[in-house]
Amino acid sequence: MCRLVGASKTYGVRHALGPIDLEIVFGEKIGVVGSSGAGKSTLLRLISGEITPSTGTVDLNGRPLPSIQVRERSRIVGFMHQQFDLVPQLSARKNIEAGNSGRWSLFRTLAALLLPIQDLNASEVARHLGLEDHLNERTSRLSGGQQQRVALARLLVQNPEITLLDEPVSSLDPSLALQILETLCGKTKTPVSTPKTVIASLHSPEFSTRFFDRVIGLSAGLIMFDKAASEVGDSDLRSLYQESNLDFTRNHENENAPQIWGRD
């Protein structure tokens, strides 16, 4: 599915990531954790093809990433940035329906923007994310949490082979965050398509070990650990964040109260 070999990224004298070797197979749900500046966002941007590695290679489905045309790449990889990348002048519905652009012809995409054509799949996704009452509002008038859900809905409509998420629940209340993560990681049956392969950078190691199958810990651009979620221990997290005074005891009595241990 995706392979990085000796991949690194530098910006002038600033070292952002790597070199790292990493292989991701179809169907994996991966949480990437680490403190601010650890390289989480850079890793996602390399996989998406938004940036190119300074050294090493990135392959998707056995092909060098630069050789894959942009339109085809949008069917393979979808990326939700922290900034959401929405068109503020358009309605929430039009932003969500833009997820179809990789599959639709140019004519169909322009028609969807200009005409009152409604995509049923987009409407279903919006309902699942609690956006049904906001579909006709201009996106610029929505709250930050609502905009984040619009960006997530667009990505679910896009339904790529690899879904990349940079802090996907940072602006959501805890109950909605849990619902979103359950949908993204296929932990519950939903009326919308569950992403096939998910790689998400997260504030919360609690979220990463609870919802994801595999957890990668980054520090100073290097992989500190890469383990099954069930094998990640408190010592791994202490070492990663280098904060010995933090209490890493799992709160089993209240699983709906996530512990926010890291910050990106």
Side-chain angles (χ1 to χ4, degrees):
M1 170 63 72
C2 178
R3 178 180 290 115
L4 290 80
V5 178
S8 71
K9 186 63 181 179
T10 57
Y11 297 95
V13 297
R14 186 171 73 85
H15 185 80
L17 185 72
I20 63 170
D21 296 325
L22 183 64
E23 185 167 316
I24 297 158
V25 299
F26 185 83
E28 285 193 296
K29 306 296 189 291
I30 300 174
V32 183
V33 296
S35 59
S36 177
K40 303 190 297 296
S41 297
T42 301
L43 173 61
L44 298 182
R45 294 175 68 198
L46 279 178
I47 295 172
S48 73
E50 182 178 313
I51 59 176
T52 57
S54 300
T55 64
T57 60
V58 180
D59 293 348
L60 291 179
N61 294 336
R63 299 164 59 190
L65 185 55
S67 71
I68 303 174
Q69 296 296 316
V70 173
R71 188 173 178 82
E72 181 183 359
R73 192 185 303 167
S74 71
R75 293 192 290 268
I76 300 174
V77 180
F79 192 2
M80 192 191 88
H81 299 80
Q82 292 187 42
Q83 296 79 18
F84 310 148
D85 298 330
L86 301 172
V87 181
Q89 298 84 2
L90 294 181
S91 67
R93 180 186 296 279
K94 295 301 183 185
N95 273 283
I96 294 170
E97 290 176 348
N100 290 302
S101 60
R103 294 186 300 274
W104 287 351
S105 67
L106 178 60
F107 175 79
R108 177 70 177 85
T109 300
L110 291 174
L113 288 173
L114 300 173
L115 301 175
I117 301 172
Q118 296 187 4
D119 176 62
L120 294 179
N121 182 46
S123 298
E124 186 64 37
V125 170
R127 279 194 295 272
H128 180 68
L129 297 183
L131 292 167
E132 64 272 23
D133 294 333
H134 304 285
L135 282 173
N136 295 320
E137 293 184 42
R138 284 181 58 168
T139 306
S140 60
R141 296 175 181 170
L142 300 179
S143 69
Q146 290 166 342
Q147 290 185 19
Q148 188 165 25
R149 279 182 280 160
V150 170
L152 281 165
R154 180 185 59 194
L155 196 54
L156 290 173
V157 168
Q158 182 181 345
N159 194 25
E161 294 179 26
I162 302 175
T163 296
L164 305 174
L165 304 134
D166 201 355
E167 303 295 353
V169 295
S170 59
S171 299
L172 306 181
D173 64 72
S175 61
L176 186 56
L178 295 176
Q179 176 193 338
I180 297 298
L181 289 172
E182 286 173 348
T183 298
L184 292 171
C185 296
K187 300 298 184 183
T188 185
K189 290 185 177 180
T190 70
V192 303
S193 298
T194 297
K196 303 172 181 67
T197 303
V198 177
I199 310 169
S201 70
L202 299 160
H203 277 331
S204 170
E206 180 75 12
F207 281 160
S208 70
T209 55
R210 179 175 175 183
F211 291 100
F212 293 80
D213 306 317
R214 176 179 170 190
V215 180
I216 296 172
L218 287 180
S219 179
L222 299 176
I223 296 175
M224 302 300 290
F225 63 80
D226 182 354
K227 297 182 175 183
S230 60
E231 297 176 353
V232 176
D234 293 345
S235 60
D236 295 312
L237 298 173
R238 281 199 186 91
S239 176
L240 185 66
Y241 290 104
Q242 297 180 349
E243 293 284 352
S244 59
N245 62 329
L246 290 178
D247 178 11
F248 292 107
T249 303
R250 300 295 196 274
N251 185 352
H252 293 295
E253 294 181 359
N254 184 7
E255 290 189 343
N256 290 326
Q259 299 173 25
I260 308 302
W261 294 332
R263 285 285 182 263
D264 186 25

